Structure formats: structure tokens, C-alpha cells
Amino acid sequence: MFNKETQYALRGLVYINLQNLKGRRPGTVEVATEIEAPQFFTAKILQKMVRAGFVESIKGKGGGFFFDPGKPDLKLDRLISAIEGSSSFSSCGFGLKHCNDDNPCPMHEKYSPVRERIEKLLTEESVQSLAKKVYRKEVKKNRILK
Amino acid sequence: MFNKETQYALRGLVYINLQNLKGRRPGTVEVATEIEAPQFFTAKILQKMVRAGFVESIKGKGGGFFFDPGKPDLKLDRLISAIEGSSSFSSCGFGLKHCNDDNPCPMHEKYSPVRERIEKLLTEESVQSLAKKVYRKEVKKNRILK
DNA sequence: TTATTAAAAGACAAAATGGTCTTTTGGTAT
DNA sequence: ATACCAAAAGACCATTTTGTCTTTTAATAA
């Protein structure tokens, strides 16, 4: 579904936000370890997330990553677009450049409702909303994020 | 959604089946041209499809590719599994190894119904059913498969 | 102010994916 | 039989993705 970079970004940011909810500010090593992702690759991805303005960071002792509560929630579609490009989940399943209701590919009729549900999910849910689900234990402890 | 190889395989096989319905047996050059895919890459993919037993081929003058009417329809999930592996559309959207109703990731509740619809589509539709839609002009002429 | 800590930056490399081209093999038509 | 045609096989290359590591920069604590 999503590529590795997207998955690590998603899991990493949700982990960071979850720790923020607990009053903590994790660093790259902790994040990578907890989400079971390669350490340096995770660091590189988090850097990109900071540059994109999605998450904040502090260098030096006691440093780490955290979300600015003043910013709006980071919707999944924005996150994914920033990494994979917007077309990844909005394009034709058959691979056609121009495929729409008026000029559909043979899969269009059945695939477009699925794509709409995916888009709905990605515009409704955010890093913060997912982290809250974990925080509220709507999702079981342990093995979460792994 | 799907990778290039899968898309070319899908479009190529649908094109072949469509031509079969018209009494024709296209070759690699024609298929690649019509589906707007790289010629040699398409040839390589079609070879793989033949080895997998999905489609038949005849060498030499008047040769080309065709589907054996005696074989059952080639469902999309089989095609995709053969190219990308079965996990590509059945695994956790969040990237967790073990994610299910009892031990869900935070996206599970909203994502699993979507995944079920994808799986339904891929087990219901086949190369043949898609080709028939084009043949019956349920899908407009021209620009089809492109 | 100095040692320490942790992110930022960027070079480097492995693996997977995507793509090209040549040679060989097995058919077909004449 | 032979000339020709088209798929099969496989070598080769390019790009993207994934991953590793070292050096630099900036913040903190003592």
C-alpha cells in the first residue's frame, strides 16, 4: 500500500505524538527502536518531516521531536503527498493518465468508490488522531507501532 | 497503487484478450504500442505471464499471444500475487507485521473495510471480465488502455 | 567556557524496480 | 530446404528506493 518511507514516517510521527501526550520528547534512536525501523533512515525521514514543517525539533541535551500544539492536525493525505506525491492514491488503478467517469478504464466503476474511501480515510485521520487512539487504549498496549 | 510491471501486465493481457475476442492474436510490438508501454519491458513481462501459465504464445510468422478458452478466467488477485506478491494488498496499512481485529493498529478500524473492498474487487474481476467490458463498449472507444 | 548531547547535513552503498538490447530458439510460409 | 518471422532467453544498464555512516552544527548542563 504505502512505501517504507511513508510507513516509517507515519509510525514515527505517531510515536512522537504519543510520547508528547505523555509529556515526553523522544529522539531519533528511541523512535527508530520503538517503531522497529532502521535508525539512520528514520533520522533522515524525521529531518525531512521537520523541514516540511510537520514536526518540531530541538538539538542538544534533552532535545528531541515534538508537535506544535498551535498547528492544525497533520492529516494523513498531507503526510503521504509530501513523501510519495499526491498521485499515489488518487490516480487510475489501471495506470491510465486520463481516467474519469466520462472516460473510464474498465476497472474504474469498481475501483473509484474504493479510492474515494481511501481518500476519505486519509483526509479524516491525522497523526494526532491516531496517536490519541493509542493513548486512550482504543488499541491494545504493547506491540503497538511494531 | 500497483507498480509499473503489474500495470503493464494488466493492460497488456486485457489488450490481448480484447483482440482475441475480435479473432486476432497480437504480438509484443503491437501490445506494447497499444498500451503505451516500453516494448522490450512489455515483451519480458509477457514472457513471464506465459511461464506462469496465464496466457499462451505461438512463435514465428503469424504468431502472438492468446488466452486458452479452456482455462478459468485469470482473476486479478492471482495476476497481482504473481508479480508483486500476495502481501501487497492484504497487509497492514500501517506496516505492522501482526495486525488484526484482536490486535489492531490505530488505522485498522478504518482501513480494514477498505482493504476488504479491494480484495473483493480483485477476486471478482478478471482479465477476461475487463476485456469484455471494453468489447461491449461499456467503456468508450479510443484512449482505452492508454 | 568546555564537555557533552542530539539533530542536521550530506556522502556513500545495497537492493529493488524499471528498462534496453542482442542472441537464440522454435515456428511458419513459400 | 530455406528464408523469414516472432517469441524466449538472458545480459546489461538506469533509476528509485532503502539503508548506512561520518561530519557538522547547535543546544544544554556543569
Side-chain angles (χ1 to χ4, degrees):
Chain A
M1 191 66 182
F2 303 123
N3 65 27
K4 298 268 185 172
E5 192 179 347
T6 302
Q7 287 180 20
Y8 296 154
L10 184 52
R11 301 221 297 276
L13 293 179
V14 170
Y15 178 80
I16 289 166
N17 194 255
L18 174 64
Q19 295 307 315
N20 293 166
L21 291 173
K22 296 176 180 174
R24 299 185 64 254
R25 204 162 55 196
T28 57
V29 176
E30 177 182 338
V31 172
T33 305
E34 289 300 314
I35 69 172
E36 286 183 356
Q39 186 185 133
F40 295 108
F41 194 29
T42 303
K44 187 191 276 187
I45 292 167
L46 290 181
Q47 256 180 63
K48 195 194 261 190
M49 297 297 97
V50 170
R51 272 197 300 268
F54 294 160
V55 70
E56 323 298 316
S57 70
I58 291 182
K59 280 183 177 182
K61 213 167 211 172
F65 297 87
F66 64 99
F67 282 85
D68 180 350
K71 287 186 179 175
D73 282 7
L74 176 57
K75 294 288 165 61
L76 301 189
D77 64 341
R78 278 192 69 209
L79 177 61
I80 293 165
S81 296
I83 296 176
E84 303 190 5
S86 57
S87 61
S88 63
F89 56 88
S90 64
S91 59
C92 170
F94 209 59
L96 306 196
K97 288 182 203 84
H98 308 285
C99 170
N100 52 56
D101 292 344
D102 294 326
N103 226 329
C105 78
M107 257 176 46
H108 187 79
E109 191 187 341
K110 292 207 176 184
Y111 180 62
S112 62
V114 172
R115 185 174 47 218
E116 275 167 31
R117 290 205 53 167
I118 295 174
E119 282 171 351
K120 186 162 179 283
L121 160 58
L122 298 181
T123 50
E124 282 177 358
E125 295 291 327
S126 64
V127 167
Q128 287 84 352
S129 71
L130 295 181
K132 269 178 210 128
K133 288 185 191 191
V134 181
Y135 189 62
R136 293 185 193 130
K137 312 245 163 60
E138 285 174 25
V139 150
K140 280 187 191 159
K141 198 102 180 291
N142 299 325
R143 262 206 51 253
I144 281 161
L145 302 177
K146 290 186 190 177
Chain B
M1 190 68 182
F2 304 123
N3 64 26
K4 298 268 185 170
E5 192 179 347
T6 303
Q7 288 181 18
Y8 295 154
L10 184 53
R11 300 221 298 275
L13 293 180
V14 169
Y15 178 80
I16 289 167
N17 194 255
L18 173 64
Q19 294 307 313
N20 292 167
L21 292 172
K22 296 176 179 175
R24 300 187 62 252
R25 205 162 54 196
T28 56
V29 176
E30 178 182 337
V31 172
T33 305
E34 288 300 314
I35 68 171
E36 287 184 354
Q39 185 184 136
F40 295 109
F41 194 29
T42 303
K44 187 190 275 185
I45 293 167
L46 290 180
Q47 256 180 64
K48 195 194 261 187
M49 297 296 97
V50 170
R51 273 197 300 268
F54 293 160
V55 70
E56 323 299 316
S57 70
I58 292 182
K59 281 185 179 182
K61 214 169 212 172
F65 297 87
F66 64 99
F67 282 85
D68 179 351
K71 287 186 178 174
D73 283 6
L74 175 58
K75 294 287 166 62
L76 301 190
D77 65 341
R78 279 191 69 211
L79 177 60
I80 292 163
S81 295
I83 297 176
E84 302 190 6
S86 58
S87 60
S88 64
F89 56 88
S90 64
S91 59
C92 169
F94 210 58
L96 306 194
K97 289 182 202 83
H98 308 287
C99 170
N100 51 57
D101 291 344
D102 294 325
N103 227 329
C105 79
M107 255 176 46
H108 188 79
E109 191 187 342
K110 292 207 175 187
Y111 180 62
S112 63
V114 172
R115 185 174 48 219
E116 275 168 32
R117 291 206 54 167
I118 294 174
E119 282 170 351
K120 186 162 179 281
L121 160 58
L122 299 181
T123 51
E124 281 177 358
E125 295 290 328
S126 64
V127 167
Q128 287 84 352
S129 71
L130 295 182
K132 268 178 210 128
K133 288 185 192 191
V134 181
Y135 189 61
R136 292 183 193 130
K137 313 245 163 58
E138 284 175 26
V139 151
K140 281 187 191 161
K141 202 110 178 288
N142 299 323
R143 264 206 49 252
I144 283 160
L145 301 177
K146 292 187 190 176

